Amino acid sequence: MYAVLKIGGRQFVVGSGDRLKVEKMNAQEGQTLEFEPILIRKDDGSIELNKGKVLAETLGHGKHRKVHVFKFRAKKNYKRWKGHRQPYTEIMIKEIKEA
């Protein structure tokens, strides 16, 4: 069984026990979160739309690897380096409940 979730503007295909890095959420470590799935596909192949629940546990917070941004204009002596590290929340899918 798997489900399709929309979290932070992105869609994820998840199964029970999966670990995800999603956009930073205001949740404490160890807190249980509840999401409404877009779609659930059962083991027998049937599909449910917009029904059920997905329970997840917050594992922690962190930052992704640094992304370097380099701006350059030829023949103008213009160079700029910037770096960015996007914060994330790591969650683990505990259970997929069907309606």
Side-chain angles (χ1 to χ4, degrees), residues 3 8 17 19 23 28-30 41 43-44 48-50 53 57 59-60 63-64 77 79 86-87 89 92-93 95:
R19 298 176 105 179
E23 287 223 16
Q28 300 294 324
E29 225 170 285
R41 182 159 192 261
D43 293 330
D44 63 359
E48 289 186 0
L49 297 174
N50 299 320
K53 294 179 190 174
E57 180 182 352
L59 299 177
K63 288 186 176 184
H64 285 285
N77 195 22
K79 297 175 193 145
Q86 185 70 24
T89 299
M92 183 174 75
I93 306 298
E95 186 179 359

Side-chain angles (χ1 to χ4, degrees), residues 2 7-8 45 48 85-86 92 94:
Y2 67 85
I7 304 172
E48 289 186 0
R85 293 183 69 191
Q86 185 70 24
M92 183 174 75
K94 290 167 63 174

Side-chain angles (χ1 to χ4, degrees), residues 19 25 31 54 58 61 76 96:
R19 298 176 105 179
M25 304 172 82
Q31 182 177 348
V54 176
T58 305
H61 303 284
K76 303 296 181 195
I96 299 173

Side-chain angles (χ1 to χ4, degrees), residues 73-88:
R73 295 210 175 112
K75 302 176 196 164
K76 303 296 181 195
N77 195 22
Y78 177 85
K79 297 175 193 145
R80 297 291 182 269
W81 276 95
K82 284 208 179 216
H84 175 73
R85 293 183 69 191
Q86 185 70 24
Y88 67 84

